[in-house]
Every structure is written in structure tokens, then in C-alpha cells.
């Protein structure tokens, strides 16, 4: 391969990894508070369609992003109400969120198939984009990609170095201890399920506002499910989430490139690769010892009840 | 202010019927509003949209439940749902989250097709062929579930994510076959395999309208009911699900139970895939399942893992699928509608149960001193 092919492949890696990155970052917030949300696929789809509809009807991309995030937060609110307040099983509620999201986006998007909306354009950063090799790979993208770059260190700092971040971790680790310290466990879980939903929905909106400028039914194509796996892979750490998202973006980009290059391997076999890779990686990273070391939220998936303290 | 939830004492018995009915009526109401908005937005006046919503509702329920041909269709849809739902219940009793029913169904269908078209090609005895194919389906469903089973038992890998990922692998595998090596040369380029030989088709009843899979799934439910309520396996697995520590003290080998639970769970779902091929599809094709494996998760949960209840709830959801197909055909509504409806029904039934069984009170925030 000559260097220009490597450059464009890496560029494509970043683009393919960005929707996953937002999705994983959002879910890290939610899971850190002890709420498991299997509804990422639904959240992404709702983000993709609501962003697209607003972009199409107003032409304003800023409003489109806001709309997607609000829609994600609303679905997050639904999940929080059922799992935190009514204490319905989180796995079941998450699946219902995916169903609702798939259904709503399909019905709402029916009238928007085949139309084109405003799209985020690549924005070459001054000076930075002139750096050889690194410039074109990292700094010739649209503004949402730069936003995701910023979000990673910010989230890392927030979770590990600030007081609200400590509260968040405490609620996911030991809700009863947090409660005894006067932290409102319910409010915290509501807040982060909604914030997480908003960021995950932004990942979906990236697909319809930047990756393509169209709405296609089920356009997330399983990225939400991969996101769920990546949260485990990233061990609830935003920095590792970035690595994971780009690793998978890379596999996707490579698969597309191999197809373009006319490989004889079936595209269906190539499409299996990210899923097989996920399972393999999980197998090697999920022994009890590693889990303890990385500090998975201990109360993840357990509804909190003041009467039956856990 | 803060929400507080207390368990109600002395629930009158009739509430067991009132709650689900109220919940379903509620989800119908919400669905009605969504349909109303959809029709209005697609260019009707509000009053037109209103009557359209009403007639769509009539269609959605009168066809699958109200006439004999509709009921046949509902029964056909019920078979795969009940198979996978029963399979999942076997794992869920131990709180092992097998989300991979869809993939296990696909692998079962793949294995049955492999058997019918290649491995057992010459066999003309229908009974032998069907038995072999059922076995193939169960075997490959179990093999597919063995991956998360061994990973969970030996490395404590999260089974939710692994079973989910394997769904996609199984679907792409079937796609690879039907678009590639197994594609029927006489299939006008459609992604499907050649048709099964006659010996590999299930016998039918009711003038050929319903295949024998319905009987198989009823027998299976009765067997599982017996296993759950009368055998030491049923008893022990309930303990494992309830309290792992207690199970350990009682001398139950949790690793063994985990592996068997997932294997059997996958085997039943895989058998469902084989039955779907032999009973109705008669050939493997791209996207033959409209998410049966995911709907079955809801079914198992709503039925509270009770095998007989799984049959009843599968019948209801089978009817919803049939009703939704009617709406697609006659009202040009998208397939996605069924997902909204399933989500709504699930949320309102589970939410309704909590709201009625528990009392939700707003209580003043108590002051906690540092």
C-alpha cells in the first residue's frame, strides 16, 4: 500500500468510528450510575431520524443536533422511569426501548426516504490540518468529530477528577452508601440515563447528518449493539472507548476497502468480523480478576430500593 | 419531594385480570394517538384520520382473532415465537440472559436446510427425515448457545453481549449461504435455497392450513411445565436463579447448571428454526424471521416464564404480527409499527403491574445530616 491509501483508510476509520464513539461515551455515563441500557440501537435510530427531520425542515444543523439530543434524553427518561422508579428489569426495559426506537424511527421516517438534507461538511482546522500525515487523518473532518475528540478528555476529567464525577461513581458502585451520604441516588440515575441517552442519540445523528445525508430505515445496522459490547471492552473508561471505537471503525473501513479492491471474500463474511472480534476480545478481557482491577460499577443492573438496601 | 414505592397488601384476586386488561387498553390508546398523527400527517383531515384509525384497529384485531383463516395464520406465527420463548424461559429461570434466540433460530434453520438438501438427501421416509432434521436444528441451536455458555462458565464473560453478537454472526452466515453457495439456480436470482424434498415437509391439518409444529410446541410446553414444577432440575434451577450463594451451599454445581441451561435453551430455539423451515418456509431465505427471537424475549417475560402462559402470550403476539401484516397491506403502514406496539404493550403491562401491585407515594424529602 502506498501512503495515500493508508491515509484515506485511517481517515475513513475515524469517520466510521465516530458514531460508535458517541454511543459508547453516552452509555458509559449511564452505566457508571448503575443503570444498564440495552436500548442503544433504539436511541441511535431516534437520534438519526429526529436530527434528519429537523435538518431537512429547517436547514439548521445546530438545531438538528439539539433535536437529536433532546429525543435521546426523552427516551432515556422513559428508561429511567421504568427501571429506576418502577424497578422493572433493566434488560427487558432496554429491549423495549430498542423496539420503541426502531418503530418510531421507521414510522416517522417513512416520509423522508430518498430526500436529502443539510449535512455537516469537513472543516479543515488551520495549522493542524497542515501537519503531514496526521493533519489529513485527524484534522480534516466535520465539527462533530472534533466535538467527540473534546468529549473524551472532558468526560475522563469529569468522571475521575471532579466531585460530581465522584458522586456518579459512588452511585454506580454502592447506592446505599451514597444514599447514606445524602446523595440522591434516584435523581443521579435519572440525570445520567438522560445525559447518556442524549449523547448516544448524537451518535445516531452523526450517521444521518454527517456520515450520509440521508435517512435509511434501520441505518444504524447494529452499531448500537456493538456499542454495548464496546462499553465492556472499554471497561467504562472514556479513553479506552476511543480506542475501541476506532478499532471497530478500522475493521469496517478495511472491510469496505477490501470490497472496493475486489476481494473474493464474500461481503457477508466480512460483515461478521466486527461481531466475532467483539466476542473474542470480551472473552480475553472478562475474567473476574480483570473486572475487579478495572472497577466495573458494582451495582450495575441492580435497581435500588431504599427499603431493601443493597 | 421523592417517589416512594410500597408493596400493597391484600390485593383482591380480580386485579389479576383487571391490570392486564387496563394495561393493554392503555397501550392501544397510545398506539391510536400515534396512528392518528401518522394518518393526519400523511395528508388526511383530522376527522378522516380518526375514522381511518378506527377502521385500521378493526382490521388489526378482527382478522387475526375473529375468523378461522386469520386464526390459522395466527397459529402459524405463534409456532416460532413459542419455540424460542420456551427455550429462553429455560435459561431465564436461572437469570441467565440469553438474548440470542434469534441467532439460535437462524442456526437451527441453517442446520435443517443443510440436512434436507445435502446430508440426508436421499431419505424418503418422512418420519425419519423429520426426526433427523429436528435433531440437526436442536444440535446447532445448542452449539450456537455453547459459545456463550462455556465463555460464561469458564471466564465469566457477560452472556448478554455474546449472545447478542452471535445473532448478527448467524444472520450474516445465512445471508452468505443464500446469496452465495446455496443460492437456488432456479430462484430468479432471489436470495433463497432450493425447495425442501417432500419428505422434509411437516404434515399439515385443518385442510393443510396449519402444520404439525403447533402440536410439537404444545407438547414441549407441557414437558417443560412438568420439568419446572415436578423435577429436581426445576427446583434447583429456580434456586440458582434466586440466590446463587444459597445454591452453592446446597451443593449445586452452578457452572454445570449454567452450561446446561444455555445448551437446552439454544436447542429448543434451534428446533424452532428447523420446524419453521419444515413447516412453512420449505427453503432457507434471507430475513425469514421478522425478529421472532427478540419478540420471544418479551413473550417469555410477560408470561413470567410459565410454559403454558408462554403459549397463550405467543398466540396473542402471533395475532399482533398477523394484524400488522394486514395493516401493511391495506393501509400502507410500515413494518416498524409492530415494534412500537410491542414496546408499548411490554412497558404498559410491566408498568401497570408495578403501579397496581405497589403504591406510589410522594413523600417529603427527609433531611440527611452530614
Amino acid at each position: 500500500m502506498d501512503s495515500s491509501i493508508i491515509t484515506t483508510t485511517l481517515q475513513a476509520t475515524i469517520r466510521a468510528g465516530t458514531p460508535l464513539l458517541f454511543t459508547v461515551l453516552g452509555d458509559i455515563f449511564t452505566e457508571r450510575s448503575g443503570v444498564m441500557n440495552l436500548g442503544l440501537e433504539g436511541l441511535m435510530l431516534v437520534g438519526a431520524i429526529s436530527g434528519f427531520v429537523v435538518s431537512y425542515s429547517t436547514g439548521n444543523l445546530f438545531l438538528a443536533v439539539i433535536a437529536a439530543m433532546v429525543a435521546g434524553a426523552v427516551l432515556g427518561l422513559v428508561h429511567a422511569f421504568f427501571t429506576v422508579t418502577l424497578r422493572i428489569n433493566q434488560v427487558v426495559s432496554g429491549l423495549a426501548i430498542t423496539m420503541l426506537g426502531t418503530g418510531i424511527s421507521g414510522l416517522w421516517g417513512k416520509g423522508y426516504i430518498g430526500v436529502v438534507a443539510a449535512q455537516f461538511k469537513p472543516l479543515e482546522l488551520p495549522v493542524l490540518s497542515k501537519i503531514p500525515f496526521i493533519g489529513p487523518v485527524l484534522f480534516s473532518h466535520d465539527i462533530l468529530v472534533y466535538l467527540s475528540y473534546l468529549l473524551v478528555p472532558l468526560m475522563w476529567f469529569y468522571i475521575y477528577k471532579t466531585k460530581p464525577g465522584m458522586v456518579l461513581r459512588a452511585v454506580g458502585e454502592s447506592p446505599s452508601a451514597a444514599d447514606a451520604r445524602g446523595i440522591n441516588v434516584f435523581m443521579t440515575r435519572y440525570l445520567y440515563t438522560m445525559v447518556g441517552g442524549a449523547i448516544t442519540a448524537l451518535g445516531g445523528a452523526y450517521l444521518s447528518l454527517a456520515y450520509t445525508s440521508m435517512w435509511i430505515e434501520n441505518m444504524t445496522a447494529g452499531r448500537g449493539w456493538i456499542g454495548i459490547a464496546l462499553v465492556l471492552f472499554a471497561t467504562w473508561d472514556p479513553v479506552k472507548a476511543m480506542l475501541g471505537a476506532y478499532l471497530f471503525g478500522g475493521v469496517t473501513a478495511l472491510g469496505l476497502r477490501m470490497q472496493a479492491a475486489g476481494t473474493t471474500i464474500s461481503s457477508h463474511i466480512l460483515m461478521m468480523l466486527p461481531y466475532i472480534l467483539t466476542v473474542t476480545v470480551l472473552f480475553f478481557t472478562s475474567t473476574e480478576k480483570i473486572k475487579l482491577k478495572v472497577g466495573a460499577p458494582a451495582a450495575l443492573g441492580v435497581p435500588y430500593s431504599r427499603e431493601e438496601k443493597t | 419531594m421523592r417517589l416512594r414505592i410500597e408493596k400493597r397488601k391484600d390485593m383482591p384476586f380480580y386485579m389479576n385480570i383487571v391490570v392486564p386488561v387496563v394495561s393493554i387498553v392503555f397501550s392501544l390508546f397510545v398506539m391510536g394517538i400515534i396512528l392518528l398523527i401518522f394518518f393526519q400527517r400523511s395528508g388526511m383531515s383530522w376527522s378522516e384520520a380518526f375514522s381511518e384509525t378506527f377502521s385500521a384497529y378493526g382490521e388489526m384485531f378482527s382478522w387475526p382473532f375473529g375468523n378461522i383463516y386469520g386464526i390459522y395464520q395466527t397459529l402459524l406465527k405463534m409456532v416460532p415465537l413459542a419455540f424460542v420463548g420456551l427455550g429462553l424461559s429455560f435459561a431465564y429461570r436461572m437469570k441467565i440472559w440469553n438474548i440470542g434466540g434469534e441467532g439460535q433460530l437462524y442456526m437451527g434453520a441453517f442446520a435443517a436446510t443443510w440436512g434436507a438438501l445435502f446430508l440426508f438427501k436421499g431419505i424418503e421416509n418422512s418420519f425419519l427425515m423429520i426426526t433427523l432434521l429436528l435433531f440437526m436444528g436442536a444440535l446447532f441451536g445448542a452449539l450456537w448457545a455453547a459459545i456463550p455458555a462455556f465463555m460464561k462458565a469458564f471466564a465469566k464473560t457477560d452472556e448478554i453481549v455474546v449472545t447478542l453478537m452471535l445473532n448478527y454472526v448467524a444472520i450474516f452466515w445465512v445471508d452468505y449461504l443464500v446469496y452465495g453457495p446455496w443460492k437456488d439456480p432456479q430462484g430468479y436470482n432471489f436470495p433463497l435455497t432450493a425447495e425442501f424434498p417432500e419428505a422434509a415437509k411437516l404434515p399439515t391439518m385443518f385442510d393443510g392450513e396449519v402444520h404439525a409444529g403447533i402440536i410439537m410446541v404444545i407438547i414441549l410446553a407441557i414437558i417443560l411445565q412438568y420439568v419446572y414444577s415436578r423435577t429436581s432440575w426445576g427446583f434447583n434451577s429456580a434456586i440458582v436463579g434466586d440466590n446463587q450463594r444459597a445454591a452453592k451451599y446446597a451443593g449445586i454445581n452452578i457452572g454445570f447448571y449454567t452450561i446446561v441451561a444455555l445448551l437446552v435453551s439454544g436447542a429448543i430455539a434451534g428446533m424452532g428454526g428447523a420446524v419453521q423451515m419444515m413447516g412453512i418456509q420449505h427453503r432457507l431465505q434471507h430475513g425469514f424471521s421478522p425478529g421472532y427471537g427478540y419478540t420471544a424475549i418479551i413473550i417469555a417475560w410477560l408470561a413470567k416464564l410459565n410454559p403454558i402462559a408462554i403459549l397463550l402470550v405467543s398466540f396473542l403476539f402471533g395475532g399482533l404480527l398477523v394484524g400488522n401484516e394486514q395493516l401493511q397491506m391495506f393501509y400502507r403502514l410500515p413494518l416498524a409499527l409492530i415494534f412500537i406496539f410491542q414496546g408499548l404493550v411490554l412497558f404498559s403491562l410491566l408498568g401497570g403491574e408495578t403501579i397496581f401491585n405497589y403504591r406510589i407515594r410522594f413523600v417529603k424529602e427527609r433531611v440527611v445530616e452530614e
Side-chain angles (χ1 to χ4, degrees):
Chain A
M1 277 206 258
D2 65 78
S3 71
S4 75
I5 291 182
I6 297 175
T7 310
T8 50
T9 307
L10 287 177
Q11 222 176 6
T13 296
I14 303 271
R15 273 170 62 79
T18 300
L20 278 172
L21 179 56
F22 278 121
T23 301
V24 176
L25 289 177
D27 201 43
I28 286 176
F29 260 142
T30 308
E31 293 211 349
R32 278 276 175 192
S33 77
V35 177
M36 184 167 46
N37 190 351
L38 293 192
L40 302 188
E41 184 84 357
L43 286 163
M44 285 182 86
L45 280 168
V46 164
I49 186 63
S50 39
F52 185 79
V53 168
V54 170
S55 159
Y56 177 74
S57 48
T58 66
N60 186 329
L61 285 167
F62 178 71
L63 283 182
V65 164
I66 299 293
M69 293 184 76
V70 168
V74 169
L75 264 192
L77 177 67
V78 173
H79 185 62
F81 175 71
F82 280 99
T83 58
V84 177
T85 300
L86 298 185
R87 301 209 297 271
I88 282 179
N89 184 293
Q90 294 178 0
V91 173
V92 174
S93 172
L95 287 170
I97 292 285
T98 287
M99 293 197 160
L100 277 184
T102 311
I104 291 168
S105 66
L107 191 65
W108 194 8
K110 198 171 186 288
Y112 296 94
I113 293 170
V115 299
V116 179
Q119 187 190 14
F120 280 103
K121 292 275 178 295
L123 190 75
E124 304 216 339
L125 290 186
V127 188
L128 286 174
S129 64
K130 295 287 173 288
I131 305 172
F133 187 64
I134 295 173
V137 170
L138 293 179
F139 301 113
S140 57
H141 292 282
D142 54 85
I143 195 159
L144 288 182
V145 173
Y146 304 135
L147 183 67
S148 73
Y149 291 167
L150 278 179
L151 199 54
V152 172
L154 283 180
M155 252 182 84
W156 180 86
F157 185 77
Y158 182 87
I159 290 175
Y160 295 107
K161 302 286 165 193
T162 69
K163 182 132 191 293
M166 199 190 71
V167 167
L168 166 64
R169 282 182 294 143
V171 167
E173 209 58 56
S174 172
S176 57
D179 197 7
R181 291 285 293 170
I183 294 168
N184 190 333
V185 173
F186 300 95
M187 204 63 102
T188 309
R189 289 190 166 176
Y190 262 90
L191 175 71
Y192 288 104
T193 309
M194 289 175 71
V195 170
I199 299 174
T200 298
L202 181 56
Y206 186 82
L207 291 171
S208 65
L209 297 177
Y211 203 68
T212 62
S213 53
M214 284 182 295
W215 161 254
I216 303 156
E217 202 172 334
N218 265 325
M219 67 188 304
T220 50
R223 287 183 179 84
W225 301 118
I226 291 191
I228 293 165
L230 278 182
V231 175
L232 267 75
F233 170 75
T235 61
W236 299 269
D237 179 331
V239 179
K240 286 189 204 140
M242 197 171 197
L243 284 176
Y246 292 151
L247 179 65
F248 282 82
V251 174
T252 314
L254 212 62
L256 288 174
R257 199 144 292 275
M258 281 168 77
Q259 262 172 279
T263 170
T264 47
I265 305 170
S266 153
S267 63
H268 296 111
I269 300 288
L270 289 176
M271 281 192 280
M272 282 181 197
L273 289 180
Y275 300 95
I276 294 175
L277 183 64
T278 314
V279 171
T280 317
V281 167
L282 279 182
F283 180 69
F284 288 110
T285 54
S286 60
T287 56
E288 199 77 334
K289 221 157 108 203
I290 297 179
K291 259 189 202 161
L292 275 178
K293 211 163 72 188
V294 300
L300 183 61
V302 185
Y304 179 60
S305 149
R306 281 201 134 161
E307 285 70 35
E308 317 147 24
K309 295 215 160 153
T310 41
Chain B
M1 292 283 276
R2 162 179 298 206
L3 282 172
R4 222 180 115 95
I5 298 185
E6 298 167 350
K7 191 147 193 159
R8 265 185 225 267
K9 293 170 190 123
D10 308 322
M11 279 284 290
F13 178 75
Y14 65 81
M15 290 300 271
N16 285 322
I17 297 152
V18 173
V19 173
V21 170
V22 171
S23 305
I24 289 184
V25 169
F26 175 76
S27 48
L28 284 175
F29 177 73
V30 177
M31 189 71 194
I33 295 174
I34 294 172
L35 276 183
L36 189 66
I37 295 171
F38 178 80
F39 284 131
Q40 194 270 339
R41 281 185 49 91
S42 57
M44 295 179 194
S45 74
W46 281 108
S47 64
E48 277 169 353
F50 199 73
S51 65
E52 190 81 347
T53 303
F54 257 90
S55 63
Y57 260 14
E59 191 73 41
M60 188 166 171
F61 290 98
S62 66
W63 176 256
F65 299 113
N67 80 78
I68 192 70
Y69 290 101
I71 290 174
Y72 290 154
Q73 280 183 307
T74 302
L75 287 173
L76 289 176
K77 285 270 189 287
M78 167 189 167
V79 173
L81 291 173
F83 260 110
V84 184
L86 289 170
L88 297 179
S89 77
F90 203 88
Y92 290 177
R93 280 170 56 85
M94 273 180 253
K95 299 220 168 74
I96 296 169
W97 293 104
N98 179 6
I99 313 290
E102 185 83 353
Q104 290 142 18
L105 183 89
Y106 266 83
M107 288 316 271
F110 145 72
T113 309
W114 191 22
L117 298 182
F118 304 98
L119 288 182
F120 315 128
K121 207 174 171 188
I123 296 177
E124 296 200 353
N125 180 324
S126 189
F127 181 78
L128 179 64
M129 182 68 139
I130 289 169
T131 312
L132 282 171
L133 295 188
L134 277 178
F135 174 75
M136 283 292 284
L139 177 69
F140 274 77
L143 283 177
W144 209 234
I147 302 170
F150 284 97
M151 286 172 81
K152 185 177 171 70
F154 294 116
K156 298 230 165 20
T157 311
D158 185 272
E159 76 278 14
I160 296 177
V161 176
V162 177
T163 50
L164 254 173
M165 297 294 113
L166 290 180
N167 285 346
Y168 280 92
V169 178
I171 292 169
F172 285 130
W173 172 241
V174 165
D175 276 354
Y176 162 69
L177 292 173
V178 299
Y179 280 97
W182 283 9
K183 188 155 144 187
D184 182 10
Q186 273 116 47
Y188 302 101
N189 225 17
F190 283 113
L192 37 78
T193 65
E195 202 176 338
F196 278 26
E198 283 307 310
K201 292 178 184 171
L202 286 183
T204 57
M205 37 196 190
F206 305 121
D207 298 327
E209 297 283 346
V210 180
H211 61 78
I214 188 77
I215 296 177
M216 294 181 190
V217 85
I218 290 170
I219 295 172
L220 183 67
I222 294 169
I223 295 173
L224 285 180
Q225 179 76 32
Y226 177 81
V227 170
Y228 293 166
S229 61
R230 292 292 154 84
T231 64
S232 65
W233 173 273
F235 183 70
N236 288 348
S237 63
I239 298 180
V240 176
D242 220 38
N243 187 338
Q244 289 246 340
R245 205 175 297 164
K248 218 174 265 173
Y249 286 136
I252 297 171
N253 184 340
I254 293 178
F256 173 75
Y257 268 71
T258 302
I259 291 173
V260 175
L262 270 165
L263 290 185
V264 174
S265 183
I268 296 175
M271 208 187 277
V275 166
Q276 187 69 0
M277 288 301 116
M278 293 189 286
I280 186 158
Q281 301 277 339
H282 299 146
R283 51 169 32 118
L284 189 60
Q285 66 185 90
H286 165 75
F288 72 89
S289 157
Y292 290 129
Y294 295 102
T295 305
I297 298 169
I298 298 185
I299 290 171
W301 201 253
L302 288 180
K304 300 201 174 121
L305 312 184
N306 176 309
I308 306 302
I310 288 174
L311 290 183
L312 294 174
V313 182
S314 305
F315 182 75
L316 178 74
F317 273 77
L320 285 180
L321 282 176
V322 173
N324 191 64
E325 280 174 3
Q326 290 293 107
L327 294 190
Q328 258 177 276
M329 264 188 287
F330 296 111
Y331 293 83
R332 293 173 185 282
L333 287 166
L335 181 69
L337 199 67
I338 192 74
F339 294 119
I340 304 185
F341 200 61
Q342 285 179 3
L344 281 174
V345 169
L346 184 67
F347 270 141
S348 56
L349 276 170
L350 294 176
E353 202 172 296
T354 315
I355 290 169
F356 283 101
N357 285 339
Y358 293 82
R359 196 191 302 275
I360 297 186
R361 287 205 322 210
F362 288 96
V363 290
K364 271 248 175 79
E365 187 73 61
R366 63 176 173 178
V367 183
V368 180
E369 281 159 36
E370 288 273 328

